[in-house]
Amino acid sequence: MLDAVAAALGADRVVTPVGSHTGAATMRLGPNVGLYDQRDVAGVIRPRTADEVRRVVAIVAGSADPVALQPMSTGHNWGLGSREPADNGAVILDLSGMDRVRAIDTTAGWAVVEPGVTQGELAKRLAGTARKLNLTASSMHTSVVGNALDRGVGLLRQRVEDLAGLEVVLPSGEMMRVGWWPSDSGRTPLYPHGLGPSALPLFLQSNLGVVTAAAIRLPPAPEALLVVRLNFTRSHLREAVDLVRHWVSQGLTHGVPKVYDPAAAKAYHGTEDEFLVHVCVAGTMASAEALTKVLIDEAVASGVFTQVTHTDRADPDPDVREVATLVELGYAGQPDDEDALFQAKMRVPADDVDSAGGGFLFFLPLVPFTGEAIAQATELLDRVHETSGIRCGATMNMLDADVVDFVVTMRFSPDDESAAHAHETLDRMYGMFGEAGFLPYRLDVDHADAIDHLSPDPAARRFIRHLKDVLDPRTVIAPGRYG
Ligand SMILES: Cc1cc2nc3c(=O)[nH]c(=O)nc-3n(C[C@H](O)[C@H](O)[C@H](O)COP(=O)(O)OP(=O)(O)OC[C@H]3O[C@@H](n4cnc5c(N)ncnc54)[C@H](O)[C@@H]3O)c2cc1C
């Protein structure tokens, strides 16, 4: 099968394991920062165009003994498995070379991008326009499409909200566009839902197709934007979270407010042993100023915070000033060209994260947005610390007035013994948080099977399995991830 692909695309686009003509050879992708077990991979294919993807899928679908394809965009799914597929035996469909911004309209507010387009690249293209990209806090070298497909979280909102349409190659090799796509006239307003049942969500965290491009919404850039910074001690966790919720519920905030626990706050020059809050405020000059005043007055009057800062951009300490500037630029959609904030967390450049940034794991449960629930989740991390010796960090992304993306990070030495201990601890966290009702919204490659018991209704899982059987009877697209 790989020979047929090499004949169609060129031998330089296919990496074949040594000895693969015997039919049984596999290879490894190399280290990953999470120290997940490296899977046996049957090869890597690197298409450069959507039509090449279509041809690859058609070749695989038509072969006597199809090998499952696992698509990836830039493969920087750090902490959740990086480039690794969930199962052994897959061929990696590496789409990082498909890096064209096909079209962009900053008046109507959209861009059509391929999977290899990075958030840094797209954000740069928007400089000086009235539109911005919803950036994530990950590296500028990560994919807009890959992140959105995995339901990643940006500073403005969850990235699925940015998806207007998808171009998808189905397991049969057919290509189709779902959701909204720019019309030839350029006059069709951006509306992702279409008429009738919407097919777009079927391709998120999905193995029903390979996405070859996405129409991405570019929200308007506010005229004024600043980030209010607040510090508080653990004893005020409940009140502080409830107050931030009040601001979110009343529409005072812009984007995703963030609360960093003391471990996570270090990268942002947080004060020792204190939680740190970033609340972004935006609008016209006058409305942003007025909202900032309301927030600051309420924060001071609450007596909950040890520090309330309007903006640290004027702080005399150059390190604090630099971080504050980068945080504000991030919310404004302006790329951090040096990846400085990312490197402050990972200590190495994006290219070296998998080889030299470990060990590092993510666990991503959702927690209700109440002071009580956040305190309970934080206590669970205390229990993890007491029983494992591992002090996890937590970054809380307030997605809306009801739900918090409670990002747990775990660092460990990159040796086998520490990795085994960290992964056992991760298993336990799935159990502990699950018992509390705090279920993850993204899964790492080792917990791909957890989807069955984490989904509320088995009938819904059967429905999706039925769709998979109908659309992909020969399992052309890897079943492991969210399968
Ligand atoms: C310090 C740090 C900060 C981070 N901050 C954030 C953050 O703020 N928000 C956030 O969401 N993440 C964050 N991450 C996690 C991660 O780096 C990002 O989510 C990153 O965008 C994922 O990698 P990627 O974009 O290369 O996607 P990929 O790894 O390429 O794709 C992710 C998954 O999507 C699927 N997929 C990808 N492409 C396709 C396709 N074309 N067709 C079908 N399926 C596909 C695959 O299942 C793949 O495993 C952070 C990581 C670190 C280390």
PDB file of all heavy atoms in Angstrom, residues 31-35 75-80 82-83 138-139 141-142 339 342-343 345-360 362 411 414:
ATOM      1  N   PRO A  31      10.794  10.489  20.614  1.00  0.00           N
ATOM      2  CA  PRO A  31      10.296  10.797  21.957  1.00  0.00           C
ATOM      3  C   PRO A  31       9.094  11.736  21.936  1.00  0.00           C
ATOM      4  O   PRO A  31       8.912  12.493  20.981  1.00  0.00           O
ATOM      5  CB  PRO A  31      11.490  11.484  22.635  1.00  0.00           C
ATOM      6  CG  PRO A  31      12.391  11.908  21.537  1.00  0.00           C
ATOM      7  CD  PRO A  31      12.140  11.015  20.372  1.00  0.00           C
ATOM      8  N   ASN A  32       8.274  11.641  22.986  1.00  0.00           N
ATOM      9  CA  ASN A  32       7.206  12.627  23.178  1.00  0.00           C
ATOM     10  C   ASN A  32       7.299  13.133  24.604  1.00  0.00           C
ATOM     11  O   ASN A  32       7.680  12.395  25.513  1.00  0.00           O
ATOM     12  CB  ASN A  32       5.829  12.023  22.860  1.00  0.00           C
ATOM     13  CG  ASN A  32       5.438  10.926  23.830  1.00  0.00           C
ATOM     14  OD1 ASN A  32       4.993  11.190  24.939  1.00  0.00           O
ATOM     15  ND2 ASN A  32       5.636   9.664  23.429  1.00  0.00           N
ATOM     16  N   VAL A  33       6.935  14.406  24.784  1.00  0.00           N
ATOM     17  CA  VAL A  33       7.173  15.086  26.065  1.00  0.00           C
ATOM     18  C   VAL A  33       6.415  14.438  27.221  1.00  0.00           C
ATOM     19  O   VAL A  33       6.828  14.530  28.377  1.00  0.00           O
ATOM     20  CB  VAL A  33       6.835  16.594  25.927  1.00  0.00           C
ATOM     21  CG1 VAL A  33       5.340  16.814  25.743  1.00  0.00           C
ATOM     22  CG2 VAL A  33       7.336  17.402  27.098  1.00  0.00           C
ATOM     23  N   GLY A  34       5.317  13.732  26.909  1.00  0.00           N
ATOM     24  CA  GLY A  34       4.533  13.087  27.964  1.00  0.00           C
ATOM     25  C   GLY A  34       5.082  11.729  28.362  1.00  0.00           C
ATOM     26  O   GLY A  34       4.562  11.100  29.278  1.00  0.00           O
ATOM     27  N   LEU A  35       6.116  11.273  27.652  1.00  0.00           N
ATOM     28  CA  LEU A  35       6.664   9.923  27.854  1.00  0.00           C
ATOM     29  C   LEU A  35       5.569   8.849  27.805  1.00  0.00           C
ATOM     30  O   LEU A  35       5.550   7.896  28.594  1.00  0.00           O
ATOM     31  CB  LEU A  35       7.489   9.836  29.146  1.00  0.00           C
ATOM     32  CG  LEU A  35       8.944  10.304  28.956  1.00  0.00           C
ATOM     33  CD1 LEU A  35       9.072  11.818  29.012  1.00  0.00           C
ATOM     34  CD2 LEU A  35       9.861   9.680  29.979  1.00  0.00           C
ATOM     35  N   GLY A  75       1.003  18.154  15.001  1.00  0.00           N
ATOM     36  CA  GLY A  75       1.433  17.104  15.935  1.00  0.00           C
ATOM     37  C   GLY A  75       1.986  17.614  17.258  1.00  0.00           C
ATOM     38  O   GLY A  75       2.722  16.913  17.944  1.00  0.00           O
ATOM     39  N   HIS A  76       1.581  18.841  17.630  1.00  0.00           N
ATOM     40  CA  HIS A  76       2.088  19.403  18.893  1.00  0.00           C
ATOM     41  C   HIS A  76       1.074  19.230  20.024  1.00  0.00           C
ATOM     42  O   HIS A  76       0.905  20.114  20.862  1.00  0.00           O
ATOM     43  CB  HIS A  76       2.430  20.886  18.713  1.00  0.00           C
ATOM     44  CG  HIS A  76       3.528  21.134  17.727  1.00  0.00           C
ATOM     45  ND1 HIS A  76       4.591  20.276  17.564  1.00  0.00           N
ATOM     46  CD2 HIS A  76       3.741  22.146  16.848  1.00  0.00           C
ATOM     47  CE1 HIS A  76       5.405  20.745  16.632  1.00  0.00           C
ATOM     48  NE2 HIS A  76       4.913  21.873  16.174  1.00  0.00           N
ATOM     49  N   ASN A  77       0.427  18.089  20.041  1.00  0.00           N
ATOM     50  CA  ASN A  77      -0.564  17.821  21.083  1.00  0.00           C
ATOM     51  C   ASN A  77       0.162  17.418  22.367  1.00  0.00           C
ATOM     52  O   ASN A  77      -0.084  16.361  22.961  1.00  0.00           O
ATOM     53  CB  ASN A  77      -1.521  16.721  20.611  1.00  0.00           C
ATOM     54  CG  ASN A  77      -2.947  16.997  21.035  1.00  0.00           C
ATOM     55  OD1 ASN A  77      -3.228  18.039  21.638  1.00  0.00           O
ATOM     56  ND2 ASN A  77      -3.840  16.078  20.748  1.00  0.00           N
ATOM     57  N   TRP A  78       1.061  18.304  22.796  1.00  0.00           N
ATOM     58  CA  TRP A  78       1.949  18.032  23.934  1.00  0.00           C
ATOM     59  C   TRP A  78       1.159  17.724  25.201  1.00  0.00           C
ATOM     60  O   TRP A  78       0.158  18.380  25.492  1.00  0.00           O
ATOM     61  CB  TRP A  78       2.841  19.258  24.181  1.00  0.00           C
ATOM     62  CG  TRP A  78       3.776  19.547  23.050  1.00  0.00           C
ATOM     63  CD1 TRP A  78       4.649  18.684  22.464  1.00  0.00           C
ATOM     64  CD2 TRP A  78       3.931  20.799  22.353  1.00  0.00           C
ATOM     65  NE1 TRP A  78       5.344  19.318  21.457  1.00  0.00           N
ATOM     66  CE2 TRP A  78       4.931  20.606  21.372  1.00  0.00           C
ATOM     67  CE3 TRP A  78       3.339  22.061  22.473  1.00  0.00           C
ATOM     68  CZ2 TRP A  78       5.345  21.627  20.518  1.00  0.00           C
ATOM     69  CZ3 TRP A  78       3.745  23.070  21.624  1.00  0.00           C
ATOM     70  CH2 TRP A  78       4.734  22.856  20.660  1.00  0.00           C
ATOM     71  N   GLY A  79       1.654  16.766  25.943  1.00  0.00           N
ATOM     72  CA  GLY A  79       1.016  16.410  27.214  1.00  0.00           C
ATOM     73  C   GLY A  79      -0.140  15.440  27.036  1.00  0.00           C
ATOM     74  O   GLY A  79      -0.579  14.811  27.989  1.00  0.00           O
ATOM     75  N   LEU A  80      -0.654  15.327  25.804  1.00  0.00           N
ATOM     76  CA  LEU A  80      -1.760  14.400  25.526  1.00  0.00           C
ATOM     77  C   LEU A  80      -1.307  13.271  24.600  1.00  0.00           C
ATOM     78  O   LEU A  80      -2.105  12.412  24.231  1.00  0.00           O
ATOM     79  CB  LEU A  80      -2.930  15.153  24.882  1.00  0.00           C
ATOM     80  CG  LEU A  80      -3.578  16.248  25.743  1.00  0.00           C
ATOM     81  CD1 LEU A  80      -4.566  17.071  24.926  1.00  0.00           C
ATOM     82  CD2 LEU A  80      -4.287  15.646  26.949  1.00  0.00           C
ATOM     83  N   SER A  82       1.325  14.090  21.959  1.00  0.00           N
ATOM     84  CA  SER A  82       2.057  14.693  20.827  1.00  0.00           C
ATOM     85  C   SER A  82       1.603  14.060  19.517  1.00  0.00           C
ATOM     86  O   SER A  82       0.432  14.089  19.208  1.00  0.00           O
ATOM     87  CB  SER A  82       3.575  14.578  21.033  1.00  0.00           C
ATOM     88  OG  SER A  82       3.947  15.238  22.222  1.00  0.00           O
ATOM     89  N   ARG A  83       2.526  13.422  18.783  1.00  0.00           N
ATOM     90  CA  ARG A  83       2.169  12.879  17.456  1.00  0.00           C
ATOM     91  C   ARG A  83       1.656  11.444  17.527  1.00  0.00           C
ATOM     92  O   ARG A  83       1.254  10.870  16.520  1.00  0.00           O
ATOM     93  CB  ARG A  83       3.412  12.885  16.547  1.00  0.00           C
ATOM     94  CG  ARG A  83       3.943  14.244  16.225  1.00  0.00           C
ATOM     95  CD  ARG A  83       5.369  14.161  15.709  1.00  0.00           C
ATOM     96  NE  ARG A  83       6.275  13.662  16.739  1.00  0.00           N
ATOM     97  CZ  ARG A  83       7.537  13.292  16.540  1.00  0.00           C
ATOM     98  NH1 ARG A  83       8.038  13.330  15.327  1.00  0.00           N
ATOM     99  NH2 ARG A  83       8.286  12.877  17.533  1.00  0.00           N
ATOM    100  N   SER A 138      -0.626  28.124  23.735  1.00  0.00           N
ATOM    101  CA  SER A 138       0.428  27.203  23.319  1.00  0.00           C
ATOM    102  C   SER A 138       1.398  27.930  22.376  1.00  0.00           C
ATOM    103  O   SER A 138       1.288  29.142  22.161  1.00  0.00           O
ATOM    104  CB  SER A 138      -0.184  25.968  22.654  1.00  0.00           C
ATOM    105  OG  SER A 138       0.798  24.959  22.506  1.00  0.00           O
ATOM    106  N   SER A 139       2.322  27.170  21.825  1.00  0.00           N
ATOM    107  CA  SER A 139       3.338  27.772  20.955  1.00  0.00           C
ATOM    108  C   SER A 139       2.706  28.400  19.716  1.00  0.00           C
ATOM    109  O   SER A 139       1.660  27.945  19.234  1.00  0.00           O
ATOM    110  CB  SER A 139       4.309  26.676  20.518  1.00  0.00           C
ATOM    111  OG  SER A 139       5.035  27.092  19.398  1.00  0.00           O
ATOM    112  N   HIS A 141       3.793  27.920  16.985  1.00  0.00           N
ATOM    113  CA  HIS A 141       4.015  26.934  15.924  1.00  0.00           C
ATOM    114  C   HIS A 141       2.942  25.841  15.889  1.00  0.00           C
ATOM    115  O   HIS A 141       3.090  24.858  15.163  1.00  0.00           O
ATOM    116  CB  HIS A 141       5.399  26.293  16.080  1.00  0.00           C
ATOM    117  CG  HIS A 141       6.506  27.305  16.028  1.00  0.00           C
ATOM    118  ND1 HIS A 141       6.917  27.878  14.858  1.00  0.00           N
ATOM    119  CD2 HIS A 141       7.236  27.874  17.016  1.00  0.00           C
ATOM    120  CE1 HIS A 141       7.878  28.753  15.119  1.00  0.00           C
ATOM    121  NE2 HIS A 141       8.084  28.769  16.420  1.00  0.00           N
ATOM    122  N   THR A 142       1.895  25.973  16.697  1.00  0.00           N
ATOM    123  CA  THR A 142       0.833  24.953  16.691  1.00  0.00           C
ATOM    124  C   THR A 142      -0.201  25.286  15.612  1.00  0.00           C
ATOM    125  O   THR A 142      -0.334  26.430  15.185  1.00  0.00           O
ATOM    126  CB  THR A 142       0.133  24.870  18.062  1.00  0.00           C
ATOM    127  OG1 THR A 142      -0.333  26.178  18.412  1.00  0.00           O
ATOM    128  CG2 THR A 142       1.074  24.370  19.131  1.00  0.00           C
ATOM    129  N   ASP A 339       7.876  33.296  21.036  1.00  0.00           N
ATOM    130  CA  ASP A 339       7.304  32.228  21.871  1.00  0.00           C
ATOM    131  C   ASP A 339       7.775  32.375  23.321  1.00  0.00           C
ATOM    132  O   ASP A 339       7.985  31.373  24.028  1.00  0.00           O
ATOM    133  CB  ASP A 339       7.729  30.846  21.340  1.00  0.00           C
ATOM    134  CG  ASP A 339       6.540  30.055  20.770  1.00  0.00           C
ATOM    135  OD1 ASP A 339       5.395  30.530  20.878  1.00  0.00           O
ATOM    136  OD2 ASP A 339       6.777  28.964  20.217  1.00  0.00           O
ATOM    137  N   PHE A 342       5.485  30.919  26.094  1.00  0.00           N
ATOM    138  CA  PHE A 342       5.477  29.463  25.971  1.00  0.00           C
ATOM    139  C   PHE A 342       6.794  28.893  26.512  1.00  0.00           C
ATOM    140  O   PHE A 342       6.809  27.932  27.286  1.00  0.00           O
ATOM    141  CB  PHE A 342       5.267  29.069  24.506  1.00  0.00           C
ATOM    142  CG  PHE A 342       5.358  27.591  24.275  1.00  0.00           C
ATOM    143  CD1 PHE A 342       4.290  26.769  24.590  1.00  0.00           C
ATOM    144  CD2 PHE A 342       6.511  27.020  23.761  1.00  0.00           C
ATOM    145  CE1 PHE A 342       4.372  25.394  24.400  1.00  0.00           C
ATOM    146  CE2 PHE A 342       6.600  25.657  23.566  1.00  0.00           C
ATOM    147  CZ  PHE A 342       5.527  24.835  23.888  1.00  0.00           C
ATOM    148  N   GLN A 343       7.895  29.522  26.118  1.00  0.00           N
ATOM    149  CA  GLN A 343       9.199  29.002  26.564  1.00  0.00           C
ATOM    150  C   GLN A 343       9.417  29.210  28.058  1.00  0.00           C
ATOM    151  O   GLN A 343      10.135  28.443  28.697  1.00  0.00           O
ATOM    152  CB  GLN A 343      10.323  29.643  25.760  1.00  0.00           C
ATOM    153  CG  GLN A 343      10.390  29.071  24.353  1.00  0.00           C
ATOM    154  CD  GLN A 343      11.658  29.482  23.623  1.00  0.00           C
ATOM    155  OE1 GLN A 343      12.735  29.532  24.196  1.00  0.00           O
ATOM    156  NE2 GLN A 343      11.516  29.786  22.348  1.00  0.00           N
ATOM    157  N   LYS A 345       7.266  28.616  30.159  1.00  0.00           N
ATOM    158  CA  LYS A 345       6.633  27.449  30.790  1.00  0.00           C
ATOM    159  C   LYS A 345       7.396  26.167  30.477  1.00  0.00           C
ATOM    160  O   LYS A 345       7.583  25.322  31.338  1.00  0.00           O
ATOM    161  CB  LYS A 345       5.189  27.315  30.289  1.00  0.00           C
ATOM    162  CG  LYS A 345       4.281  28.410  30.816  1.00  0.00           C
ATOM    163  CD  LYS A 345       2.892  28.271  30.231  1.00  0.00           C
ATOM    164  CE  LYS A 345       2.363  29.613  29.811  1.00  0.00           C
ATOM    165  NZ  LYS A 345       1.251  29.577  28.905  1.00  0.00           N
ATOM    166  N   MET A 346       7.836  26.020  29.227  1.00  0.00           N
ATOM    167  CA  MET A 346       8.418  24.730  28.817  1.00  0.00           C
ATOM    168  C   MET A 346       9.945  24.709  28.885  1.00  0.00           C
ATOM    169  O   MET A 346      10.562  23.664  28.751  1.00  0.00           O
ATOM    170  CB  MET A 346       7.965  24.377  27.394  1.00  0.00           C
ATOM    171  CG  MET A 346       6.469  24.185  27.268  1.00  0.00           C
ATOM    172  SD  MET A 346       5.794  23.084  28.532  1.00  0.00           S
ATOM    173  CE  MET A 346       6.351  21.489  27.950  1.00  0.00           C
ATOM    174  N   ARG A 347      10.552  25.873  29.014  1.00  0.00           N
ATOM    175  CA  ARG A 347      12.018  26.016  29.163  1.00  0.00           C
ATOM    176  C   ARG A 347      12.799  25.652  27.910  1.00  0.00           C
ATOM    177  O   ARG A 347      14.021  25.702  27.900  1.00  0.00           O
ATOM    178  CB  ARG A 347      12.545  25.191  30.350  1.00  0.00           C
ATOM    179  CG  ARG A 347      11.907  25.616  31.664  1.00  0.00           C
ATOM    180  CD  ARG A 347      12.161  24.600  32.752  1.00  0.00           C
ATOM    181  NE  ARG A 347      11.163  24.704  33.795  1.00  0.00           N
ATOM    182  CZ  ARG A 347      10.774  23.711  34.563  1.00  0.00           C
ATOM    183  NH1 ARG A 347      11.304  22.516  34.421  1.00  0.00           N
ATOM    184  NH2 ARG A 347       9.863  23.892  35.480  1.00  0.00           N
ATOM    185  N   VAL A 348      12.130  25.224  26.867  1.00  0.00           N
ATOM    186  CA  VAL A 348      12.814  24.904  25.601  1.00  0.00           C
ATOM    187  C   VAL A 348      11.944  25.413  24.452  1.00  0.00           C
ATOM    188  O   VAL A 348      10.737  25.574  24.609  1.00  0.00           O
ATOM    189  CB  VAL A 348      13.039  23.382  25.414  1.00  0.00           C
ATOM    190  CG1 VAL A 348      14.059  22.837  26.378  1.00  0.00           C
ATOM    191  CG2 VAL A 348      11.729  22.615  25.527  1.00  0.00           C
ATOM    192  N   PRO A 349      12.557  25.649  23.272  1.00  0.00           N
ATOM    193  CA  PRO A 349      11.753  26.056  22.118  1.00  0.00           C
ATOM    194  C   PRO A 349      10.816  24.934  21.652  1.00  0.00           C
ATOM    195  O   PRO A 349      11.057  23.756  21.952  1.00  0.00           O
ATOM    196  CB  PRO A 349      12.796  26.355  21.029  1.00  0.00           C
ATOM    197  CG  PRO A 349      14.120  26.315  21.684  1.00  0.00           C
ATOM    198  CD  PRO A 349      13.992  25.577  22.974  1.00  0.00           C
ATOM    199  N   ALA A 350       9.785  25.323  20.907  1.00  0.00           N
ATOM    200  CA  ALA A 350       8.767  24.355  20.462  1.00  0.00           C
ATOM    201  C   ALA A 350       9.394  23.134  19.789  1.00  0.00           C
ATOM    202  O   ALA A 350       8.976  21.997  20.034  1.00  0.00           O
ATOM    203  CB  ALA A 350       7.797  25.043  19.507  1.00  0.00           C
ATOM    204  N   ASP A 351      10.413  23.363  18.970  1.00  0.00           N
ATOM    205  CA  ASP A 351      11.034  22.251  18.229  1.00  0.00           C
ATOM    206  C   ASP A 351      11.640  21.202  19.149  1.00  0.00           C
ATOM    207  O   ASP A 351      11.839  20.057  18.745  1.00  0.00           O
ATOM    208  CB  ASP A 351      12.169  22.789  17.334  1.00  0.00           C
ATOM    209  CG  ASP A 351      11.615  23.291  16.024  1.00  0.00           C
ATOM    210  OD1 ASP A 351      10.418  23.073  15.773  1.00  0.00           O
ATOM    211  OD2 ASP A 351      12.389  23.919  15.266  1.00  0.00           O
ATOM    212  N   ASP A 352      12.009  21.629  20.371  1.00  0.00           N
ATOM    213  CA  ASP A 352      12.715  20.709  21.279  1.00  0.00           C
ATOM    214  C   ASP A 352      11.816  20.155  22.382  1.00  0.00           C
ATOM    215  O   ASP A 352      12.297  19.425  23.252  1.00  0.00           O
ATOM    216  CB  ASP A 352      13.909  21.429  21.937  1.00  0.00           C
ATOM    217  CG  ASP A 352      14.904  21.915  20.895  1.00  0.00           C
ATOM    218  OD1 ASP A 352      14.917  21.339  19.791  1.00  0.00           O
ATOM    219  OD2 ASP A 352      15.640  22.877  21.181  1.00  0.00           O
ATOM    220  N   VAL A 353      10.539  20.532  22.379  1.00  0.00           N
ATOM    221  CA  VAL A 353       9.671  20.128  23.498  1.00  0.00           C
ATOM    222  C   VAL A 353       9.638  18.608  23.626  1.00  0.00           C
ATOM    223  O   VAL A 353       9.814  18.052  24.711  1.00  0.00           O
ATOM    224  CB  VAL A 353       8.246  20.710  23.328  1.00  0.00           C
ATOM    225  CG1 VAL A 353       7.265  20.039  24.286  1.00  0.00           C
ATOM    226  CG2 VAL A 353       8.265  22.210  23.578  1.00  0.00           C
ATOM    227  N   ASP A 354       9.427  17.909  22.515  1.00  0.00           N
ATOM    228  CA  ASP A 354       9.290  16.454  22.621  1.00  0.00           C
ATOM    229  C   ASP A 354      10.601  15.760  22.984  1.00  0.00           C
ATOM    230  O   ASP A 354      10.594  14.739  23.662  1.00  0.00           O
ATOM    231  CB  ASP A 354       8.709  15.878  21.316  1.00  0.00           C
ATOM    232  CG  ASP A 354       7.192  16.035  21.279  1.00  0.00           C
ATOM    233  OD1 ASP A 354       6.548  15.761  22.316  1.00  0.00           O
ATOM    234  OD2 ASP A 354       6.665  16.464  20.244  1.00  0.00           O
ATOM    235  N   SER A 355      11.720  16.328  22.561  1.00  0.00           N
ATOM    236  CA  SER A 355      12.992  15.651  22.853  1.00  0.00           C
ATOM    237  C   SER A 355      13.589  16.093  24.184  1.00  0.00           C
ATOM    238  O   SER A 355      14.278  15.313  24.839  1.00  0.00           O
ATOM    239  CB  SER A 355      13.996  15.907  21.726  1.00  0.00           C
ATOM    240  OG  SER A 355      14.161  17.301  21.553  1.00  0.00           O
ATOM    241  N   ALA A 356      13.301  17.337  24.621  1.00  0.00           N
ATOM    242  CA  ALA A 356      14.006  17.845  25.804  1.00  0.00           C
ATOM    243  C   ALA A 356      13.114  18.577  26.799  1.00  0.00           C
ATOM    244  O   ALA A 356      13.612  19.130  27.772  1.00  0.00           O
ATOM    245  CB  ALA A 356      15.130  18.785  25.348  1.00  0.00           C
ATOM    246  N   GLY A 357      11.806  18.584  26.592  1.00  0.00           N
ATOM    247  CA  GLY A 357      10.921  19.374  27.469  1.00  0.00           C
ATOM    248  C   GLY A 357      10.250  18.562  28.558  1.00  0.00           C
ATOM    249  O   GLY A 357       9.511  19.108  29.372  1.00  0.00           O
ATOM    250  N   GLY A 358      10.496  17.240  28.582  1.00  0.00           N
ATOM    251  CA  GLY A 358       9.724  16.362  29.462  1.00  0.00           C
ATOM    252  C   GLY A 358      10.329  16.172  30.822  1.00  0.00           C
ATOM    253  O   GLY A 358      11.395  16.697  31.105  1.00  0.00           O
ATOM    254  N   GLY A 359       9.527  15.404  31.588  1.00  0.00           N
ATOM    255  CA  GLY A 359       8.207  14.888  31.327  1.00  0.00           C
ATOM    256  C   GLY A 359       7.115  15.888  31.680  1.00  0.00           C
ATOM    257  O   GLY A 359       7.226  16.618  32.656  1.00  0.00           O
ATOM    258  N   PHE A 360       6.061  15.809  30.902  1.00  0.00           N
ATOM    259  CA  PHE A 360       4.995  16.795  31.035  1.00  0.00           C
ATOM    260  C   PHE A 360       3.687  16.165  30.579  1.00  0.00           C
ATOM    261  O   PHE A 360       3.595  15.653  29.461  1.00  0.00           O
ATOM    262  CB  PHE A 360       5.346  18.003  30.154  1.00  0.00           C
ATOM    263  CG  PHE A 360       4.330  19.104  30.161  1.00  0.00           C
ATOM    264  CD1 PHE A 360       4.400  20.129  31.092  1.00  0.00           C
ATOM    265  CD2 PHE A 360       3.306  19.125  29.223  1.00  0.00           C
ATOM    266  CE1 PHE A 360       3.464  21.158  31.091  1.00  0.00           C
ATOM    267  CE2 PHE A 360       2.366  20.146  29.215  1.00  0.00           C
ATOM    268  CZ  PHE A 360       2.451  21.166  30.154  1.00  0.00           C
ATOM    269  N   PHE A 362      -0.779  16.502  30.589  1.00  0.00           N
ATOM    270  CA  PHE A 362      -1.992  17.289  30.805  1.00  0.00           C
ATOM    271  C   PHE A 362      -3.127  16.372  31.246  1.00  0.00           C
ATOM    272  O   PHE A 362      -3.257  15.241  30.754  1.00  0.00           O
ATOM    273  CB  PHE A 362      -2.473  17.910  29.486  1.00  0.00           C
ATOM    274  CG  PHE A 362      -1.936  19.280  29.186  1.00  0.00           C
ATOM    275  CD1 PHE A 362      -1.359  19.553  27.947  1.00  0.00           C
ATOM    276  CD2 PHE A 362      -2.027  20.308  30.104  1.00  0.00           C
ATOM    277  CE1 PHE A 362      -0.880  20.816  27.644  1.00  0.00           C
ATOM    278  CE2 PHE A 362      -1.546  21.581  29.808  1.00  0.00           C
ATOM    279  CZ  PHE A 362      -0.974  21.833  28.578  1.00  0.00           C
ATOM    280  N   ARG A 411       4.487  17.817  35.971  1.00  0.00           N
ATOM    281  CA  ARG A 411       5.888  17.747  35.521  1.00  0.00           C
ATOM    282  C   ARG A 411       6.598  16.623  36.257  1.00  0.00           C
ATOM    283  O   ARG A 411       6.339  16.405  37.439  1.00  0.00           O
ATOM    284  CB  ARG A 411       6.614  19.053  35.849  1.00  0.00           C
ATOM    285  CG  ARG A 411       6.206  20.189  34.986  1.00  0.00           C
ATOM    286  CD  ARG A 411       7.239  21.309  35.019  1.00  0.00           C
ATOM    287  NE  ARG A 411       7.073  22.152  33.861  1.00  0.00           N
ATOM    288  CZ  ARG A 411       7.563  21.860  32.666  1.00  0.00           C
ATOM    289  NH1 ARG A 411       8.288  20.775  32.480  1.00  0.00           N
ATOM    290  NH2 ARG A 411       7.346  22.650  31.645  1.00  0.00           N
ATOM    291  N   PRO A 414      12.327  13.008  33.262  1.00  0.00           N
ATOM    292  CA  PRO A 414      12.091  12.149  32.093  1.00  0.00           C
ATOM    293  C   PRO A 414      12.828  10.809  32.163  1.00  0.00           C
ATOM    294  O   PRO A 414      13.513  10.422  31.225  1.00  0.00           O
ATOM    295  CB  PRO A 414      12.600  13.018  30.935  1.00  0.00           C
ATOM    296  CG  PRO A 414      13.626  13.903  31.541  1.00  0.00           C
ATOM    297  CD  PRO A 414      13.251  14.118  32.975  1.00  0.00           C
TER     298      PRO A 414
END
